[in-house]
Amino acid sequence: MRADVVVVGAGPAGLASATRLAEAGRQVLVLARGNGFTHWGAGAVDVLGRVGGEPVAQPLEAIDRLPEGHPYHLVGQAAVRDGLEWFSGFAAGAGLAHVGDLDHNRLQVTAFGTLRPTCLLPEPAAGLAEPPGRVAVVNFAGFRDFSPALCADRLRRSGIDATPASAPLPPWDHDRYFTGIELARAIDDAGFRRRLALGLSRAAAGADVVVVPAVLGLNRGHEPWADLQSLVATPLVEAATAPPSIPGLRLFAAYRARLDGLGVRWQFGFPAVGVDRDGDRVTAVRSEGASRVLATRCQELVLATGGVAGNGIEANRDGTLAEQVAGLPMEGFEDRLAFLGGRFLGDHPLAAAGVRVDAELRPVDGAGEPLLANVRCVGGLLAAHDPTTEGSREGVALATAARVAAVLAATPAR
């Protein structure tokens, strides 16, 4: 097989990079082991939520407080703005409008009733104004992945007047047990929504805002949410729930449709396992196939395989780390105990491990010299940032995708 650009990984960085490169006219092939962070995240765009453990109100301004070598410093604030502006246009065009900007973080309610800082919120999650007035936290009867009592209790601790309630579901094929995906698909149906709205209206009677689990439709963008909100005649706010993330699945489907429309090829479920080289260039990517290893010749390679959690990096028993596709050098540890942080939900050195790159996102050696001229690393694979504790995952993904698109768009395909 042959491709102009091979993108390895189908998380936020890989999907955005592949889309932007295809839009720039490059012939792209996506290789992916499986689903990426879209299926786990809350569907929002986190740019920067914390620096040094302290919450951030203005993400763009706070970038200056990040340590040297952070991906945001490598690509520059212009790439951060470019990435978010592109994403906003892409999402809106797919019927998945997001609200917010780089000047101020917003708060997203979760199923636990916590309010997490984020930059861009899916429109169905953005209706919890301050102060929100009386809030009804409503679950759909029989849905086991959302506790309105737990959510309302935590919201009350934050000073919000929240009351738990339950709304009956119309008769359907899943009376005993169902998943969020099955419920979201049912809510895609206009008739089901009309019947659902009656019980939801009664459960939310007198409330100024209704918080519900993020299951209001799967395959029709934000249309089911807008329609149900109109039927109930009260603002509906989707609370982020446990994976699989319905808002994330909506985004993944939008990316997939856009890439298919651009003629991008996919090899899904067969991970990349190595590369062939000629001097300082990668000439082919090797990946698992049904019966043998396949080699795909390419001009450019974009690695968006993520960190340890995404299996882009393997942590060895002796404390060393291994990048899984191209064997790139990693920032390792003296011993395995150095992996650990002092607090479970605090900073972990392992989470900030990754590949060092230059301003063009090429991997570099200890002296800062590029190792491979046609390899770029994006997203969670990059060293010197912890996307979880910083709250920077999607922001770094979009900013590095913007940078790699700018670099490779200027490089003619051969």
Side-chain angles (χ1 to χ4, degrees):
M1 293 194 298
R2 188 181 296 269
D4 176 19
V5 183
V6 172
V7 176
V8 182
L15 294 170
S17 296
T19 306
R20 298 202 63 168
L21 288 167
E23 289 175 344
R26 304 302 295 258
Q27 181 209 21
V28 179
L29 168 68
V30 176
L31 296 178
R33 175 184 300 272
N35 298 317
F37 192 77
T38 50
H39 290 51
W40 290 82
V45 174
D46 294 354
V47 172
L48 190 58
R50 290 167 295 278
V51 175
E54 297 298 321
V56 165
Q58 299 171 301
L60 192 64
E61 182 182 81
I63 286 175
D64 292 335
R65 308 205 306 266
L66 292 169
E68 184 179 356
H70 192 283
Y72 283 149
H73 290 316
L74 291 174
V75 301
Q77 292 191 11
V80 181
R81 283 195 178 276
D82 182 3
L84 261 69
E85 289 172 1
W86 175 85
F87 176 84
S88 294
F90 158 75
L96 298 170
H98 282 55
V99 300
D101 54 60
L102 278 166
D103 294 328
H104 297 281
N105 272 331
R106 304 172 70 95
L107 296 177
Q108 181 178 22
V109 62
T110 73
F112 296 108
T114 56
L115 300 172
R116 59 180 296 272
T118 189
C119 186
L120 300 185
L121 269 175
E123 196 173 7
L128 199 64
E130 295 185 24
R134 180 173 174 266
V135 175
V137 182
V138 181
N139 191 25
F140 301 110
F143 183 49
R144 301 181 183 182
D145 291 345
F146 184 75
S147 168
L150 175 65
C151 182
D153 177 69
R154 190 60 181 264
L155 288 174
R156 284 194 297 269
R157 294 191 217 173
S158 300
I160 296 173
D161 180 14
T163 304
S166 178
L169 285 172
W172 64 321
D173 296 334
H174 299 279
D175 289 336
R176 292 186 178 273
Y177 174 76
F178 54 89
T179 66
I181 292 176
E182 290 165 331
L183 180 55
R185 285 183 179 138
I187 293 175
D188 277 335
D189 179 73
F192 188 90
R193 289 197 300 273
R194 284 194 298 271
R195 298 190 298 273
L196 176 65
L198 296 174
L200 184 55
S201 296
R202 295 190 190 99
D208 299 300
V209 177
V210 182
V211 172
V212 295
V215 294
L216 302 186
L218 180 64
N219 298 313
R220 302 183 64 84
H222 292 162
E223 176 192 329
W225 160 77
D227 181 47
L228 188 60
Q229 180 172 254
S230 176
L231 291 168
V232 176
T234 306
L236 300 180
V237 177
E238 286 193 325
T241 58
S245 164
I246 303 301
L249 291 172
R250 295 172 194 151
L251 270 179
F252 180 82
Y255 272 118
R256 188 69 190 257
R258 178 63 176 150
L259 288 168
D260 287 346
L262 290 166
V264 172
R265 292 179 293 146
W266 289 71
Q267 185 176 317
F268 206 75
F270 297 99
V273 294
V275 297
D276 296 331
R277 304 186 188 188
D278 182 6
D280 69 342
R281 295 187 67 85
V282 165
T283 58
V285 181
R286 287 181 273 112
S287 58
E288 292 182 1
S291 59
R292 61 184 176 86
V293 173
L294 304 175
T296 302
R297 298 185 62 81
C298 62
Q299 297 299 326
E300 306 284 349
L301 172 61
V302 178
L303 294 178
T305 49
V308 174
N311 208 38
I313 300 170
E314 182 177 10
N316 301 313
R317 284 182 173 271
D318 61 0
T320 60
L321 302 173
E323 189 275 315
Q324 294 285 72
V325 178
L328 300 175
M330 302 289 305
E331 293 190 343
F333 298 86
E334 294 180 1
D335 58 69
R336 195 174 183 182
L337 291 179
F339 286 177
L340 306 177
R343 191 166 61 88
F344 176 69
L345 294 178
D347 296 341
H348 284 253
L350 190 59
V355 176
R356 286 282 183 182
V357 296
D358 62 12
E360 293 191 3
L361 301 178
R362 296 172 297 188
V364 298
D365 59 19
E369 295 298 319
L371 292 168
L372 294 168
N374 64 335
V375 174
R376 320 285 165 166
C377 301
V378 296
L381 182 60
L382 300 183
H385 82 296
D386 184 339
T388 301
T389 58
E390 290 175 357
S392 63
R393 189 179 307 277
E394 292 82 10
V396 168
L398 292 170
T400 52
R403 179 61 179 152
V404 83
V407 170
L408 296 188
T411 305
R414 291 184 293 174

